[in-house]
Amino acid sequence: MKEFAYQRAFDVPGALALLDAGSDARFLGGGTNLVDLMKAGVERPARLVDVRGLPLNRVEPTADGGLRIGATVTNSDLAAHPEVRRRYPALAQAVLAGASGQLRNMATVGGNLLQRTRCGYFTDVTRPCNKRVPGSGCPAVEGEHRNHAILGASGHCVAVHPSDMAVALTAFDAVVSYETADGPGELPLTEFYVPVGDTPHRETSLPRGALITGVILPPAPVAARSRYRKVRERASYAFAIGSVAAALDVEGGVVREARLALGAVASRPWRARAAERALTGARADGEAFAAAADAELAAANPLPRNAYKVALTRNLMVAVLTGLAEEAAR
Ligand SMILES: Cc1cc2nc3c(=O)[nH]c(=O)nc-3n(C[C@H](O)[C@H](O)[C@H](O)COP(=O)(O)OP(=O)(O)OC[C@H]3O[C@@H](n4cnc5c(N)ncnc54)[C@H](O)[C@@H]3O)c2cc1C
Ligand code: SF4
């Protein structure tokens, strides 16, 4: 592991100044992803600026009835927060479905959003990988891709985004707030992650050197009836092979509003807009749920060894929507 310097920041201007102070530096949240990648030689920063001492560790209501989540709130604190559990239950469920208790105690919201893919070629520095070394190739297309993308991929990279939390945030129209030396900015999560295209090494539209300061959840009454369901190869401590965050508002047996996002299917959390459109105004029954899933997955383009994900995701969407509709009917 390459030697590196370690510095702590205690306010936002101080963190930006430390990052900007010369040698190749990176912000450090809980370190649960970055430090692993440094040990593997994938990341080689000369300096780490620890942001856990910043005053960004609160979950607070916003004036319009949403929530503002600070970037250094730990995954454990986020999942346990009473307002998150009450107003956005799928978000609490998604966070609890990720990693382990010890990891969630360390991991931060900012770090979770920026965690890197778990593609085995990306973390093996002896292999080519367009995401790690642009232009070197993508061995996953012809090789091991069982857990790779079925939507929105390109021939340059077929990896999926690993975050559970980001899937629920995407369903609820979350907005990422950040600070740079030039001032603050905001990015809806659907624009924060960029399509993979021919630049898989460029994963977000966050300006270079920006510090994520928080995530804003707009008010969403529909989110109070929401669920996150994750399928993985073992019961805990494993990444998703498919996941769904969904919220449903049903009145008189008809869907008034639906929110849906999918995980482990694309290089970014996948907002299922075609399914949402198909659901709005439809009867809240199995036939409509299957039709909505099919509308979304019509764009799926699986690889030879991950076609199972199309059926898995379809079944997951139908099961989650059915559960929410049954709850609404009680
Ligand atoms: C064994 C294991 C199992 C896991 N299972 C799951 C799982 O099932 N589901 C899941 O979603 N995740 C899982 N994870 C991933 C885990 O959730 C992430 O490692 C964690 O959320 C990253 O947060 P962190 O604060 O530790 O980030 P760090 O490792 O500290 O940082 C990650 C990246 O974010 C950057 N960064 C951090 N904070 C900021 C900021 N405020 N502004 C700008 N940049 C910042 C860092 O520079 C770095 O590039 C697992 C991890 C492990 C090790
Ligand atoms: S899928 Fe992406 S991360 Fe994996 S080897 Fe190909 S380029 Fe690298």
Side-chain angles (χ1 to χ4, degrees):
M1 188 168 168
K2 184 182 147 188
E3 267 190 31
F4 62 92
Y6 169 87
Q7 290 166 302
R8 281 189 194 155
F10 297 100
D11 56 35
V12 170
L16 292 170
L18 282 174
L19 195 86
D20 211 24
S23 55
D24 176 23
R26 304 291 297 275
F27 291 126
L28 178 73
T32 61
N33 188 224
L34 180 55
V35 174
D36 277 0
L37 293 174
M38 288 166 67
K39 288 182 194 161
V42 175
E43 299 265 15
R44 299 172 57 81
R47 223 149 34 84
L48 294 182
V49 177
D50 191 335
V51 299
R52 281 171 304 172
L54 300 182
L56 301 171
N57 60 349
R58 295 170 65 103
V59 179
E60 292 166 317
T62 56
D64 62 0
L67 287 181
R68 183 185 169 80
I69 303 162
T72 63
V73 171
T74 65
N75 287 190
S76 295
D77 286 348
L78 178 63
H81 196 280
E83 288 305 303
V84 174
R85 293 165 66 96
R86 187 172 70 83
R87 296 200 228 171
Y88 306 90
L91 175 58
Q93 292 163 16
V95 174
L96 287 177
S100 65
Q102 292 95 327
L103 285 160
R104 292 193 296 270
N105 287 344
M106 290 298 290
T108 62
V109 167
N112 189 310
L113 292 176
L114 289 178
Q115 63 174 297
R116 310 297 302 277
T117 184
R118 310 305 284 203
C119 173
Y121 301 107
F122 174 72
T123 47
D124 179 352
V125 293
T126 67
R127 305 299 302 269
C129 166
N130 283 331
K131 192 182 274 299
R132 183 169 29 78
V133 182
S136 60
C138 175
V141 172
E142 299 289 333
E144 179 46 59
H145 54 235
R146 225 182 92 72
N147 192 24
H148 285 51
I150 56 169
L151 286 164
S154 81
H156 297 274
C157 179
V158 289
V160 294
H161 197 272
S163 171
D164 291 296
M165 181 185 84
V167 179
L169 290 174
T170 296
F172 300 145
D173 289 329
V175 175
V176 177
S177 59
Y178 63 85
E179 283 282 345
T180 68
D182 297 328
E186 289 188 348
L187 281 166
L189 208 54
T190 45
E191 293 167 27
F192 177 82
Y193 296 111
V194 295
V196 61
D198 57 3
T199 54
H201 57 286
R202 191 175 161 265
E203 294 172 358
T204 75
S205 48
L206 197 63
R208 196 174 160 75
L211 172 76
I212 296 178
T213 51
V215 174
I216 300 151
L217 277 169
V222 66
R225 180 169 293 123
S226 63
R227 281 189 189 177
Y228 184 76
R229 191 157 159 199
K230 168 176 178 177
V231 177
R232 44 194 155 180
E233 284 178 336
R234 56 174 188 253
S236 74
Y237 206 41
F239 287 88
I241 53 175
S243 74
V244 173
L248 209 57
D249 179 9
V250 179
E251 196 175 273
V254 173
V255 177
R256 285 206 311 189
E257 187 181 353
R259 300 284 187 92
L260 271 166
L262 310 178
V265 293
S267 66
R268 52 194 168 130
W270 190 265
R271 182 72 183 263
R273 302 242 185 233
E276 288 178 357
R277 279 193 299 275
L279 284 169
T280 307
R283 289 213 60 79
D285 59 23
E287 202 178 319
F289 299 154
D294 288 340
E296 192 64 46
L297 294 166
N301 187 16
L303 295 154
R305 283 175 291 285
N306 71 0
Y308 77 96
K309 278 194 173 189
V310 180
L312 184 151
T313 306
R314 181 184 191 272
N315 293 343
L316 206 48
M317 291 169 84
V318 173
V320 171
L321 291 168
T322 303
L324 287 168
E326 285 171 0
E327 200 179 299
R330 265 182 229 136

